[in-house]
Amino acid sequence: MFAKAFRVKSNTAIKGSDRRKLRADVTAAFPTLGTDQVTELVPGKEELNVVKLYAHRGDAVTVYVSGGNPILFELEKNLYPTVYTLWSYPDLLPTFTTWPQVLEKLVGGADLMLPGLVVPPAGLPQVQKGDLCAIALVGNRAPVAVGVAAVSTSEMLTSGLKGRGFSVLHTYQDHLWQSGDKSSPPSITPLALDPPDVTEEKRSIQVDPTLQGDMRHLTLEGVEEENGEVQQRCGEESLSEASEDPSIGGLNPDPTDSKTLQEQMDALLQRCFLHALKCRIKKADLPLLTSTLLGSHMFSCCPEGRQLDIKKSSYKKLSKFLQHMQQEQVIQVKELSKGVESIVAVDWKHLRITSFVIPEPSPTSQTVQEGSREQPYHPPDIKPLYCVPASMTLLFQESGHKKGSVLEGSEVRTIIINYAKKNDLVDADNKHLVKLDPVLCDSILEKSEQHTVMKLPWDSLLTRCLEKLQPAYQVTFPGQEPVVKKGKICPIDVTLAQRASNKKVTLVRNLEAYGLDPCAVAAILQQRCQASTTVTPAPGAKDGLQVQIQGNQVHHLGRLLLEEYQLPRKHIQGLEKAPKPGKKK
């Protein structure tokens, strides 16, 4: 359903009465959730938005968003959880397992076919046709898709695991997932341990022997027409390859780690907190906003490959965690202004801080840091060039150039002057004019001008030649060979956009063209602006990224690009959108 981009109709904050109704609907739809879990999923005071949208097929869908992540979506008065919700409550729905290679097909909009199922030793979960189900991958209980059973469990077994098994509505990596924080599935250990031996694992897949010869490759079952729509079906999977390749999936949990996800996040939260206090925060920094502690210090202390998410810890909120640290007398927190908490004191002699061992940086990150110190950023040298098009080949062939030849502006000027002199085209009465021969007429004049314009001034002739040539440019980074590219170089684009509740954000694109790492720029701006930053794929760009900074930060961005990075202003557009200084009263 969300395999392609959707169109948002409205995005509004939920009303109190609608919040209570949603809580009642969640309780009715998912009776396994306790009262506390329902309250946690649909909080009473935290911001909760209702987004009404149209899927690419025209279906009207209502999405409920909490903390920036979609948590539920409603289709035809039926309520469905998203993968973000299922990662917090993995046992909310009956879960079926498939191979990691199948995920790519599901993300592309395919349904899950029964030959792609992995049958565990305990057997398949018992479901009826139309029941809501979750789909996980081998080795990890964290669901990666949500779907509806096309047949009951008994019918699945009776058919010998043939045919369509589940209509998939939503997956990890689809556009609904992309509207959230784009976090990866957590590692949740399966309830039943996988057999350690490969042969045992193969025997645990109970499939009709007649199917084993067909289950060699992942295919797409024939394209079927349903309601005028062409739907792809996810077919068989190569079971032998999947069970023998230990690297498949990338979602397998560490078998030696017996801690729950919540316990792991609690430990990571305390580690980042103590690391920030011991290495990054000094007495002169106090009082320090709690939001600055998290955004500028704790996140940067998170180990490589891990993601700090307080909502997945037992504390759920930063304020509760800091209250716990205050009870242990590690810090002192006060509300210096209404609704804004700050850390006003830190006991650096506390045993929790003194006994904390600073983790060694990974070799890769250490190399990157050393390399960044040794090689500061230098702006590239950008030189405009011109390519000879087919329509101007005759004009340039006398000078030894052909179609596609790349020239500098000065070379073009010299070639045109030599051509005019060699062919005796300079007007005898006025040397500032050039007579146009058939080659020049075909090269630079419009069709309507070819019988009316007989002569042109030198500057007009040269200008028209440059306009008719195809643009190109040469980029030279310090210590690297020049690179020539066709077209005009896109400037760094700075724009402002509005988000929910009329909040402004600053968007920056095309940093990569100038040798700038969007992630590094985002990290610097996060500290300079004391605002949250994110790096997301740029709309309409194949591999481009854009940096989003909370608030109007054009002034800070301009200083960084112009003064520190020394980029020419002509290669940056949008700097005029900086906030105007307020008038003094």
Side-chain angles (χ1 to χ4, degrees):
M1 174 170 288
F2 304 105
K4 297 182 180 179
F6 49 76
R7 178 169 61 89
V8 177
K9 178 184 177 184
S10 63
N11 186 348
T12 57
I14 195 170
K15 299 178 182 178
S17 57
D18 292 336
R19 190 188 294 260
R20 290 190 292 273
K21 181 179 180 302
L22 176 61
R23 198 174 289 151
D25 291 343
V26 171
T27 303
F30 310 110
T32 56
L33 286 178
T35 306
D36 293 340
Q37 292 175 317
V38 173
T39 305
E40 182 181 290
L41 179 61
V42 186
K45 295 183 179 180
E46 292 184 16
E47 184 178 359
L48 183 64
N49 283 21
V50 181
V51 180
K52 295 187 177 181
L53 55 87
Y54 292 106
H56 71 280
R57 289 180 180 172
D59 300 309
V61 185
T62 301
V63 180
Y64 298 94
V65 180
S66 176
N69 285 336
I71 56 172
L72 300 162
F73 65 96
E74 187 176 342
L75 175 66
E76 296 178 351
K77 296 185 179 181
N78 292 321
L79 208 56
Y80 303 93
T82 66
V83 289
Y84 289 107
T85 297
L86 291 177
W87 293 342
S88 299
Y89 309 100
D91 299 322
L92 183 62
L93 302 176
T95 303
F96 291 79
T97 306
T98 187
W99 298 105
Q101 297 98 318
V102 178
L103 177 60
E104 180 182 353
K105 304 298 181 182
L106 300 182
V107 174
D111 287 336
L112 181 60
M113 307 301 288
L114 290 176
L117 282 184
V118 175
V119 183
L124 295 174
Q126 294 299 315
V127 296
Q128 299 299 320
K129 180 179 179 180
D131 284 358
L132 191 57
C133 304
I135 299 167
L137 302 181
V138 172
N140 190 359
R141 202 156 51 93
V144 294
V146 180
V148 176
V151 292
S152 65
T153 304
S154 58
E155 290 173 323
M156 294 180 192
L157 299 174
T158 303
S159 67
L161 294 183
K162 290 183 179 180
R164 185 164 65 99
F166 302 89
S167 298
V168 177
L169 302 175
H170 159 56
T171 68
Y172 161 62
Q173 292 184 342
D174 68 5
H175 284 267
L176 182 61
W177 169 84
Q178 291 178 21
S179 67
D181 61 14
K182 300 182 183 179
S183 54
S184 300
S187 295
I188 305 178
T189 308
L191 294 177
L193 294 177
D194 291 334
D197 188 58
V198 174
T199 56
E200 292 180 19
E201 182 174 321
K202 289 181 179 178
R203 284 198 297 269
S204 70
I205 304 168
Q206 302 170 359
V207 184
D208 190 332
T210 60
L211 296 177
Q212 292 181 359
D214 299 329
M215 298 171 71
R216 296 294 182 190
H217 303 285
L218 176 65
T219 62
L220 286 178
E221 289 280 328
V223 180
E224 301 178 10
E225 294 283 342
E226 290 188 5
N227 301 326
E229 295 287 337
V230 179
Q231 297 186 351
Q232 290 181 330
R233 309 294 184 185
C234 182
E236 291 87 352
E237 180 60 51
S238 174
L239 302 182
S240 58
E241 294 178 3
S243 48
E244 291 171 6
D245 187 356
S247 64
I248 284 177
L251 303 176
N252 296 339
D254 184 358
T256 61
D257 194 353
S258 59
K259 292 183 179 179
T260 64
L261 175 64
Q262 194 175 76
E263 290 173 342
Q264 293 177 28
M265 194 57 65
D266 285 352
L268 180 61
L269 180 61
Q270 294 188 25
R271 170 180 170 169
C272 295
F273 172 73
L274 295 173
H275 191 175
L277 290 183
K278 191 161 186 175
C279 300
R280 296 181 173 271
I281 299 172
K282 300 177 182 178
K283 191 172 183 180
D285 297 328
L286 303 179
L288 181 70
L289 291 172
T290 56
S291 58
T292 304
L293 168 70
L294 178 65
S296 299
H297 301 291
M298 290 177 62
F299 280 148
S300 57
C301 291
C302 190
E304 189 175 357
R306 302 284 300 277
Q307 184 174 10
L308 180 61
D309 189 347
I310 298 178
K311 290 190 176 182
K312 293 179 182 177
S313 69
S314 61
Y315 302 98
K316 304 301 179 186
K317 294 182 180 179
L318 178 64
S319 56
K320 289 185 179 181
F321 171 73
L322 295 179
Q323 286 175 8
H324 178 68
M325 291 295 104
Q326 184 171 238
Q327 291 172 359
E328 293 193 10
Q329 298 182 347
V330 179
I331 57 172
Q332 186 179 354
V333 181
K334 282 188 178 180
E335 193 174 298
L336 298 182
S337 59
K338 188 176 180 180
V340 181
E341 291 185 335
S342 299
I343 297 175
V344 296
V346 178
D347 182 8
W348 274 283
K349 295 182 180 179
H350 195 282
L351 182 63
R352 293 289 297 272
I353 299 178
T354 56
S355 61
F356 178 75
V357 179
I358 301 172
E360 290 288 336
S362 63
T364 54
S365 62
Q366 196 169 10
T367 303
V368 170
Q369 292 173 0
E370 289 174 358
S372 61
R373 284 196 298 267
E374 293 173 2
Q375 298 180 354
Y377 174 78
H378 293 287
D381 178 40
I382 302 172
K383 182 187 298 183
L385 299 173
Y386 302 91
C387 286
V388 178
S391 59
M392 301 181 74
T393 305
L394 291 176
L395 179 59
F396 286 89
Q397 70 179 3
E398 289 187 9
S399 58
H401 297 94
K402 57 184 181 179
K403 177 186 173 183
S405 296
V406 180
L407 304 169
E408 295 184 19
S410 59
E411 292 177 306
V412 174
R413 178 184 177 88
T414 303
I415 291 171
I416 299 300
I417 292 174
N418 291 339
Y419 178 86
K421 291 181 178 179
K422 183 178 179 181
N423 292 276
D424 196 20
L425 299 178
V426 180
D427 188 38
D429 299 327
N430 187 351
K431 293 186 178 181
H432 295 291
L433 295 177
V434 179
K435 294 180 290 186
L436 302 181
D437 66 354
V439 174
L440 283 174
C441 286
D442 292 339
S443 298
I444 65 174
L445 293 183
E446 302 295 336
K447 287 186 178 180
S448 60
E449 298 176 320
Q450 291 188 358
H451 299 290
T452 57
V453 179
M454 309 305 294
K455 299 177 183 180
L456 282 176
W458 278 108
D459 56 349
S460 178
L461 175 65
L462 294 171
T463 301
R464 287 187 179 225
C465 281
L466 293 176
E467 289 176 350
K468 292 292 183 179
L469 291 169
Q470 293 176 347
Y473 62 94
Q474 175 181 286
V475 181
T476 307
F477 290 97
Q480 298 183 21
E481 292 293 324
V483 178
V484 176
K485 297 183 180 181
K486 292 186 178 181
K488 294 182 179 180
I489 186 169
C490 296
I492 294 176
D493 185 29
V494 181
T495 57
L496 294 176
Q498 284 193 340
R499 295 293 186 256
S501 304
N502 204 27
K503 293 180 180 178
K504 288 186 177 180
V505 294
T506 305
L507 303 174
V508 194
R509 298 178 60 180
N510 301 330
L511 291 168
E512 302 96 324
Y514 298 84
L516 291 169
D517 180 8
C519 296
V521 173
I524 293 173
L525 290 172
Q526 184 182 38
Q527 296 181 354
R528 301 274 178 91
C529 308
Q530 293 295 295
S532 64
T533 60
T534 55
V535 179
T536 58
K542 185 177 180 181
D543 299 314
L545 298 174
Q546 72 175 7
V547 178
Q548 175 179 301
I549 316 110
Q550 189 176 23
N552 187 336
Q553 308 297 349
V554 178
H555 179 67
H556 288 285
L557 182 61
R559 290 183 60 184
L560 177 66
L561 297 177
L562 295 174
E563 298 177 14
E564 294 193 30
Y565 291 158
Q566 301 286 312
L567 285 167
R569 183 179 285 269
K570 66 180 180 180
H571 293 310
I572 308 170
Q573 66 179 18
L575 293 180
E576 70 280 357
K577 297 170 185 174
K580 303 294 186 292
K583 296 181 179 179
K584 295 182 180 179
K585 296 182 179 179

